[in-house]
Amino acid sequence: MSSTPENGPAAPENGPDSAGSRVVVIGAGIVGCSLADELTARGWSDVTVLEQGPLPAPGGSTSHAPGLVFRTSPSKTLTEFAKYTVEKFNSLQVDGLSCFNPVGGLELATTPERWADLHRKAGWAAAWGVRGELVSAARCKELWPHIDESKVLGGFHTPEDGLARALLAARAQMERAEQRGATFLDRHTVTGIEQEDGRVTAVVTDRGTFPADHVVSAAGFWGPVVGRMAGVDVPLLPLAHQYAKTKPLPELAGANDPRTEASRPILRFQDRDLYFREHTDRIGIGSYAHKPLPVDPFALLDYDTARANNMAMPSSYPFTEEDWAPSWEDCKWLLPMLRDAEVEEGFNGVFSFTPDGMPLLGEARQLRGFWLAEAVWVTHSAGVAKAVAEWMVDGKPSLDLHECDLTRFEDAQRSPAYVHDRGARQFVEVYDVLHPLQPAGDPRPLRVSPFHARQQELGAVFLEGGGWERPHWYEANSALAEGISLPERDAWSARHWSPIAAAEARATREKVALYDMTPLRRLEVTGPGALDFLQRMTSNNLAKMPGAVTYTLLLNEDGGIRSDLTVARLGRDRFQIGANSPADLDWLLRHAPAHVHIRDITSGTCCIGVWGPLARALVQPLTRDDFSHEGFGYFRAKETYLGHVPVTAMRLSYVGELGWELYTSADLGLRLWDTLWEAGREHGVIAAGRSAFNSLRLEKGYRSWGHDMTTEHNPYEAGIGFAVRMDRGDFLGRDALAQLGEPARKLTPLLLDDPAAVVLGHEPVHVDGAPAGYVTSASYGYTLGRCVAYAWLPPLPEGAGVHIEYFGEKVPATVAEEPLFDPQMARIRR
């Protein structure tokens, strides 16, 4: 890909000068109304919201949403969205009725696995600042007297969660936005998106055309339809979800005020994929236990046609009794009061799933001014609207949104078949107990490196990321694990792990190993202005002679870390970049001038990391070039041949050992692997996987963007200030960095005190008995004989004691000095 307009695609046009921008929001559900409110609160008053159905209940997902808001999520971003939604809806009233009913939330465990998972969830809540507590079965019975206490092991109670009145919240925000100048128009069906020179100019409807500088698609499950009009892919699958209400129950007679409907916590019975809420004297029940029921977004009926077909609204499909029957038995098993009850009404309500279950947010680069705020549930609606409004008005959201960025999916993950298969899987797994390394389902394998056949021969155990099959360890190395003494792992940390990883880490430290680095993103930047462009975009000094490799950062205007890169200058106007995600390519393309060309070369190339003290002994006989330390220094690059294979060799090491990253074209990848494997036999070469890799990189303190640091962190907090050169001229984010004071938090290395203890990430860290931060990455350090964890914490002195909460237990750990392994860098620079 390369940029073609004369001045290149620009970043979003925003800031105070954009206060007069004309904004059209497509969709007046909870997201569209929330966004109009947030935009007008920031001074953008020329906002028009178009809705094809009637207001205030236009017939999308908002119109039937049961309103459950559980804030706690393994995603910090989703939790922050939900926290803001609760805060905002609590402050809104319509006709004297609050838009949020804080009845609390109660999640039940009826299996030991779920009970353990609720301990993990309580840890997330503590890490992300949500008040909650694990409670006994007896306490669950007090909170919900109608459950069969004998079936329950315990629960997780979050007293400030509750029920969002979605239609009321939409109306309240609509009225506030209208008071500030916004216009809401119902019965306007969007039929087209007009554009000129790569920028949106208007929205066409069946009742007129609306000029626009910004268009936001908040159309919910109609998002793919709107996206097609704009030429923008919206990878979203609408699915139907069962919801039923009982007839009036004697046990609830007089228990609830009809205006507030509920007084007891919303109840999750996740072991059977069910949830419950009160509707005055009835119980509402939602089920995810049935098979996925996908809906074609291009076959959805409009409001009037749906009504004419005896549907309550376009998002409400007929109730399927055969899907409901098993769930009804499960309901009666947990709630004996339902054994003689009957279902009075039910429907299959449509809402949106993406391949990874996260929202789709941001501005499309291919059509500037066209934004997505899609696949958003009521739970996160106000938080998403705030973030998107900040993004539009200020140029950046205050939260890190990389998990939600519309650019995050690879091309291979955007096919309709992939979106269908993975979206349906998200539905199936919505209440499952999922391990952080949970293997993805079909389609697999999808993307494989040229070495895949050899890896299979070696018994590779593959997990998946970005559609790529990634070996985590190799069964061929099982004999090497014999005799290695390791502490016994608990069942959770032993899942998707093998002691073979320890053997592979040891072999890397003692001999030499081959690592498949192909899935890491590679970009090529060329053209007469390539150096000046990259100097402007990144934080370090790239003005070095060809052959230099530099570690540098992409920053936001406020100094937040968008990504970290390795940049190799291969020629005067030619650079190869090691990047993290499709968002990096998108960001560079948005800013590139016409004479700078940026191309993603990942799929056409491959990479092998050759690391270990015998790496030079393996590689040097294969080439006539000098691979000695003097002839090929650290952080240098060289284009050469290894045997018959042309390679770009970079002397880099992400594992803290001597070695090189070796790149070649995909068609020669297998030949490169075989060449290295044959040459390495006499040196005891092995293939090693991601499990060992992660352990080794944490022992060296090497950061992983998206896990250890994001746009919410600056380089000095993250401990990578060495990648910033303030004295070499202007670059994006420099002004913000110049104004920073002493950091109030730091990415802190911790060593667990108990050699047998293990944590995995996202656990809360307690300082002086109170939650003070959270773990980002963690792995057992096989060389150190201790688990290594990195955590965001207030500045603490080396040697300070903390506790990491792991499944409810407080595990002692100590602040360590980094790097933990080989602080003199002697092993890398030999």
Side-chain angles (χ1 to χ4, degrees), residues 310-392:
N310 297 316
M311 294 168 61
M313 61 188 82
S315 61
S316 178
Y317 276 63
F319 195 61
T320 47
E321 293 284 354
E322 66 276 13
D323 294 315
W324 174 252
S327 290
W328 185 233
E329 295 303 313
D330 290 333
C331 294
K332 293 186 284 187
W333 181 82
L334 180 70
L335 300 173
M337 65 186 286
L338 298 180
R339 288 172 185 168
D340 296 321
E342 295 181 31
V343 171
E344 183 174 62
E345 59 179 299
F347 66 97
N348 290 358
V350 182
F351 62 139
S352 304
F353 283 81
T354 58
D356 61 2
M358 299 294 286
L360 295 167
L361 310 179
E363 185 193 32
R365 178 178 48 79
Q366 63 269 43
L367 182 58
R368 287 166 288 158
F370 184 82
W371 297 76
L372 295 185
E374 296 290 10
V376 182
W377 294 7
V378 171
T379 301
H380 311 113
S381 55
V384 163
K386 175 176 181 281
V388 173
E390 289 173 337
W391 206 344
M392 294 175 70

Side-chain angles (χ1 to χ4, degrees), residues 172-220:
Q173 294 177 99
M174 178 174 65
E175 290 173 355
R176 293 205 313 192
E178 286 176 327
Q179 291 170 4
R180 303 188 192 110
T183 301
F184 286 75
L185 299 172
D186 63 2
R187 299 293 188 173
H188 281 64
T189 299
V190 174
T191 58
I193 308 293
E194 292 186 349
Q195 53 187 285
E196 186 176 343
D197 295 330
R199 170 165 282 285
V200 70
T201 58
V203 176
V204 182
T205 76
D206 59 348
R207 299 177 65 181
T209 298
F210 296 83
D213 303 301
H214 296 274
V215 174
V216 185
S217 178

Side-chain angles (χ1 to χ4, degrees), residues 456-586:
Q456 288 180 305
E457 291 168 4
L458 294 170
V461 175
F462 294 98
L463 300 182
E464 188 238 39
W468 287 99
E469 295 296 318
R470 302 183 181 214
H472 272 243
W473 66 86
Y474 293 84
E475 291 295 333
N477 297 325
S478 59
L480 300 178
E482 297 175 5
I484 294 181
S485 178
L486 293 172
E488 185 176 350
R489 289 202 169 203
D490 65 275
W492 186 253
S493 64
R495 196 178 298 184
H496 311 304
W497 171 86
S498 168
I500 295 172
E504 293 176 359
R506 174 181 288 185
T508 307
R509 291 278 189 239
E510 296 178 353
K511 293 183 178 180
V512 62
L514 306 184
Y515 288 83
D516 182 1
M517 306 299 288
T518 300
L520 300 186
R521 181 164 301 277
R522 292 172 291 284
L523 309 177
E524 181 183 72
V525 181
T526 58
L531 175 61
D532 290 341
F533 167 66
L534 291 174
Q535 285 282 77
R536 165 65 182 155
M537 295 301 298
T538 68
S539 63
N540 212 331
N541 183 19
L542 307 180
K544 303 171 182 176
M545 295 293 291
V549 182
T550 306
Y551 178 76
T552 188
L553 308 172
L554 290 177
L555 303 177
N556 277 342
E557 288 282 3
D558 64 353
I561 304 169
R562 288 192 60 91
S563 189
D564 61 342
L565 312 174
T566 54
V567 181
R569 192 175 191 186
L570 301 179
R572 183 177 183 276
D573 299 317
R574 182 165 64 97
F575 296 81
Q576 181 172 310
I577 296 177
N580 285 298
S581 76
D584 296 343
L585 173 63
D586 182 83

Side-chain angles (χ1 to χ4, degrees), residues 242-267:
Q242 290 205 305
Y243 193 77
K245 289 183 184 178
T246 67
K247 289 183 176 180
L249 300 168
E251 295 87 346
L252 294 185
N256 296 307
D257 183 336
R259 278 173 57 81
T260 58
E261 289 195 334
S263 58
R264 294 185 179 91
I266 44 178
L267 186 68

Side-chain angles (χ1 to χ4, degrees), residues 395-658:
K396 55 180 176 53
S398 56
L399 291 177
D400 170 65
L401 300 184
H402 82 273
E403 293 178 307
C404 310
D405 195 303
L406 62 88
T407 66
R408 68 187 181 272
F409 294 116
E410 306 280 352
D411 288 344
Q413 297 173 299
R414 291 179 170 273
S415 70
Y418 186 96
V419 172
H420 176 279
D421 291 350
R422 287 294 172 88
R425 185 178 179 88
Q426 287 296 322
F427 180 92
V428 170
E429 294 181 344
V430 71
Y431 277 172
D432 286 1
V433 176
L434 298 177
H435 192 275
L437 296 175
Q438 185 85 13
D442 290 336
R444 287 187 65 193
L446 181 62
R447 307 178 79 187
V448 298
S449 77
F451 327 126
H452 189 252
R454 296 293 183 266
Q455 293 165 344
Q456 288 180 305
E457 291 168 4
L458 294 170
V461 175
F462 294 98
L463 300 182
E464 188 238 39
W468 287 99
E469 295 296 318
R470 302 183 181 214
H472 272 243
W473 66 86
Y474 293 84
E475 291 295 333
N477 297 325
S478 59
L480 300 178
E482 297 175 5
I484 294 181
S485 178
L486 293 172
E488 185 176 350
R489 289 202 169 203
D490 65 275
W492 186 253
S493 64
R495 196 178 298 184
H496 311 304
W497 171 86
S498 168
I500 295 172
E504 293 176 359
R506 174 181 288 185
T508 307
R509 291 278 189 239
E510 296 178 353
K511 293 183 178 180
V512 62
L514 306 184
Y515 288 83
D516 182 1
M517 306 299 288
T518 300
L520 300 186
R521 181 164 301 277
R522 292 172 291 284
L523 309 177
E524 181 183 72
V525 181
T526 58
L531 175 61
D532 290 341
F533 167 66
L534 291 174
Q535 285 282 77
R536 165 65 182 155
M537 295 301 298
T538 68
S539 63
N540 212 331
N541 183 19
L542 307 180
K544 303 171 182 176
M545 295 293 291
V549 182
T550 306
Y551 178 76
T552 188
L553 308 172
L554 290 177
L555 303 177
N556 277 342
E557 288 282 3
D558 64 353
I561 304 169
R562 288 192 60 91
S563 189
D564 61 342
L565 312 174
T566 54
V567 181
R569 192 175 191 186
L570 301 179
R572 183 177 183 276
D573 299 317
R574 182 165 64 97
F575 296 81
Q576 181 172 310
I577 296 177
N580 285 298
S581 76
D584 296 343
L585 173 63
D586 182 83
W587 181 251
L588 293 172
L589 285 172
R590 286 178 186 271
H591 292 83
H595 51 276
V596 172
H597 303 281
I598 304 171
R599 190 165 63 98
D600 188 331
I601 61 172
T602 309
S603 296
T605 56
C606 58
C607 178
I608 299 174
V610 183
W611 291 310
L614 301 182
R616 182 175 288 116
L618 188 160
V619 174
Q620 182 62 81
L622 299 174
T623 179
R624 295 180 179 180
D625 282 310
D626 184 0
F627 270 56
S628 69
H629 183 63
E630 296 74 21
F632 198 155
Y634 191 51
F635 264 79
R636 299 290 300 173
K638 187 178 293 188
E639 293 180 294
T640 184
Y641 289 86
L642 295 182
H644 296 92
V645 182
V647 300
T648 299
M650 298 185 196
R651 191 168 167 200
L652 307 174
S653 176
Y654 207 52
V655 300
E657 295 292 336
L658 171 69

Side-chain angles (χ1 to χ4, degrees), residues 13-15 18-26 31-49 84 88 173 176-178 180-182 184 214-218 369 371 373 382 384-395:
E13 295 178 4
N14 43 49
S18 294
S21 294
R22 299 165 298 178
V23 180
V24 174
V25 179
I26 301 172
V31 178
C33 292
S34 297
L35 181 58
D37 183 47
E38 295 288 339
L39 286 171
T40 55
R42 288 165 174 78
W44 282 24
S45 58
D46 192 350
V47 176
T48 302
V49 183
Y84 181 78
K88 185 175 187 180
Q173 294 177 99
R176 293 205 313 192
E178 286 176 327
R180 303 188 192 110
F184 286 75
H214 296 274
V215 174
V216 185
S217 178
W371 297 76
V384 163
K386 175 176 181 281
V388 173
E390 289 173 337
W391 206 344
M392 294 175 70
V393 176
D394 303 327

